[in-house]
Amino acid sequence: MQTQPAQANSGIDPIAQNPAKNDKQNVGWLRWGVSLVTDPICYLAKHTWTALKSIATFAVSIVKAPFCYLKAALSNKPDVQKPAQAQHQRPNRNPPIVHGHNSTRTAAAQITPKQADPKTQTQQWLNFYQSPRQNYPDTQWSLNKILQLDDQQLATTNGALQLLMPIDTPSKYSPTAPLMNDSIAKAVIGAEADSQIRKNIDRTINRVLNFMGLQRQNPQCATLNPTHQEKHNKWNGCQPNSESEKQVSRFLNFLMATGHRQLACSIEETMNPIRKQNNHPECKIWTGIVLPNQAVSQPQQIAPSQKGLNANTLPPVTPIVLDFKKDNNKTQAQKILLQAQTLLKNNPDLPGVAVTYSANHEQTLKIIDTYNKGNGFTGTNGSNQAAVMCEMEKLLGTAQFKHLQGKMRIAPITTMKRDGSPASDEEFKTSIKNMETLTRNGWHILGWQNQDTKINTAKPFAIGGGVSKAMPADHQRQIQNRLKQLANM
């Protein structure tokens, strides 16, 4: 059987036998060679164009910048837009605001809450004071952030004081700021006052006092802080309708609305005499705020005992005789409340009635502080007059006298310290100043007498003559003469 001879070694090139395959390989090599030249050229062209556009944009912005600033300066609009790079920076969590009400304004964030209905607005403000770390709705500001501002920022931050201290009049510069109303007053000074809100209001008061160069001597009295003389100049020589005058007015209005009437009076009584000493006119607007029943146009020299009273024939003090030998403590308390009820019925303009009470200095401070916090029950107890006061407060909780709550008070007169030692002049004056403030604000005083003192022409009032034997004679003489004067005796 014959076999076909093999052609493997015939000497013929296999590629030469397939020309199509040979051409394809040649084209591939050609393309690779061309790409070595064209790819770098395309890459450079593309990125060079992008770079040229960026350079051109930057050059245009450099050229335009001076014209933008010049245009803003000529049009008195200093709020020049910041470069795009700055717009992407992380915002400051507590940005300062640097424009004031009557100064040239510069661009800055400001506290501008959105307009809301009164009910929503009230709740927002109460939440603002209940949760001091929580921002007020639609702002970047919490109570803590505002209270941490320095004096310059607090003075020039548009909307800060309006948010801290709402009053019942809309602000020209912050028209959407919350307004004081009955709901806020009830939550602040009513029987159901929120303790957290009261605590934070005290923080605000202390911050604003420091801002004005004042300090709290006690909860109801403010005095000058001698280390802050430069702060006194803001209100000492301020002109009518100036920003400083408005700031003090807002503060006084806020204090009056939140149950700090005595503190407001002490501030006005501190500021106006200083202005007078420095040959500046007294600010009658401030006087009109703390003495609402006195017309602003009335002379400042009006006797304090006559301010705030609308009854023509009623003196500021009426003696009330309480016979402790004849009547028990409850009966004496009833007589006090019945007398107060009659006075209020016959004189509807009276805001309330207070009865004098011989107290030690610590009791005086507690009683005054209790009323300042909006609580009508002081918890006074003990023997003699204290036992009568205890019965009086019990009766105020009964149906017969419940309507007198908030209108019946104790007017403590300091006769000694708790340990029985004599009270200092300043401690004694604290109680006198409290009584004077009550009469100046229109309250009527019942001057406590008993069966023995009523026949004593030199000392007709039952103050410091019983348990307290430590009351200095000068203090006794001052209070007796003042009460006789107020009672037209």
Side-chain angles (χ1 to χ4, degrees), residues 403-415:
H403 63 286
L404 294 179
Q405 290 182 14
K407 297 183 177 182
M408 186 68 220
R409 287 188 179 184
I410 300 171
I413 304 297
T414 298
T415 60

Side-chain angles (χ1 to χ4, degrees), residues 116 118-139 141-144 163-164 166 178 181 183-184 187-188 194 196-198 200-201 203:
K119 185 176 180 180
T120 301
Q121 195 179 61
T122 296
Q123 191 57 52
Q124 288 175 343
W125 188 85
L126 293 176
N127 293 340
F128 174 69
Y129 262 84
Q130 284 173 331
S131 305
R133 296 181 181 179
Q134 180 178 326
N135 288 346
Y136 192 88
D138 303 311
T139 75
W141 296 87
S142 66
L143 178 64
N144 285 351
L163 190 56
L164 283 180
N181 54 48
S183 297
I184 290 180
V188 172
D194 188 289
Q196 183 66 23
I197 293 178
R198 293 290 307 180
N200 286 320
I201 285 178
R203 291 177 59 204

Side-chain angles (χ1 to χ4, degrees), residues 150-209:
D150 61 33
D151 287 346
Q152 178 65 23
Q153 291 172 327
L154 188 60
T156 58
T157 296
N158 189 22
L161 292 177
Q162 288 87 342
L163 190 56
L164 283 180
M165 303 181 293
I167 58 177
D168 58 5
T169 305
S171 168
K172 175 182 177 181
Y173 304 102
S174 186
T176 58
L179 300 178
M180 179 62 65
N181 54 48
D182 292 341
S183 297
I184 290 180
K186 181 179 179 181
V188 172
I189 62 176
E192 301 178 358
D194 188 289
S195 59
Q196 183 66 23
I197 293 178
R198 293 290 307 180
K199 177 181 177 181
N200 286 320
I201 285 178
D202 276 343
R203 291 177 59 204
T204 295
I205 291 173
N206 291 334
R207 176 66 187 91
V208 178
L209 284 173

Side-chain angles (χ1 to χ4, degrees), residues 25-211:
Q25 289 183 351
N26 291 336
V27 171
W29 283 104
L30 180 62
R31 288 178 177 173
W32 179 78
V34 171
S35 67
L36 287 177
V37 178
T38 59
D39 285 357
I41 294 174
C42 292
Y43 178 84
L44 289 173
K46 177 181 178 181
H47 288 278
T48 299
W49 176 248
T50 302
L52 289 173
K53 287 197 298 183
S54 299
I55 292 172
T57 302
F58 178 73
V60 171
S61 64
I62 292 296
V63 173
K64 289 175 63 177
F67 295 98
C68 293
Y69 281 93
L70 180 60
K71 181 180 178 181
L74 293 176
S75 60
N76 197 24
K77 294 180 180 179
D79 52 341
V80 180
Q81 185 175 2
K82 295 182 178 180
Q85 180 181 359
Q87 295 178 3
H88 297 287
Q89 294 178 353
R90 183 178 180 181
N92 189 350
R93 295 181 62 188
N94 188 19
I97 301 170
V98 296
H99 58 78
H101 295 160
N102 52 3
S103 60
T104 302
R105 301 194 176 193
T106 53
Q110 53 183 322
I111 306 178
T112 308
K114 288 185 179 179
Q115 186 67 49
D117 62 88
K119 185 176 180 180
T120 301
Q121 195 179 61
T122 296
Q123 191 57 52
Q124 288 175 343
W125 188 85
L126 293 176
N127 293 340
F128 174 69
Y129 262 84
Q130 284 173 331
S131 305
R133 296 181 181 179
Q134 180 178 326
N135 288 346
Y136 192 88
D138 303 311
T139 75
Q140 297 180 2
W141 296 87
S142 66
L143 178 64
N144 285 351
K145 289 178 184 178
I146 297 177
L147 293 180
Q148 289 167 3
L149 293 175
D150 61 33
D151 287 346
Q152 178 65 23
Q153 291 172 327
L154 188 60
T156 58
T157 296
N158 189 22
L161 292 177
Q162 288 87 342
L163 190 56
L164 283 180
M165 303 181 293
I167 58 177
D168 58 5
T169 305
S171 168
K172 175 182 177 181
Y173 304 102
S174 186
T176 58
L179 300 178
M180 179 62 65
N181 54 48
D182 292 341
S183 297
I184 290 180
K186 181 179 179 181
V188 172
I189 62 176
E192 301 178 358
D194 188 289
S195 59
Q196 183 66 23
I197 293 178
R198 293 290 307 180
K199 177 181 177 181
N200 286 320
I201 285 178
D202 276 343
R203 291 177 59 204
T204 295
I205 291 173
N206 291 334
R207 176 66 187 91
V208 178
L209 284 173
N210 180 273
F211 169 70

Side-chain angles (χ1 to χ4, degrees), residues 413-428:
I413 304 297
T414 298
T415 60
M416 62 180 181
K417 294 183 178 181
R418 180 183 295 169
D419 60 6
S421 61
S424 67
D425 288 346
E426 286 300 318
E427 291 168 341
F428 173 67

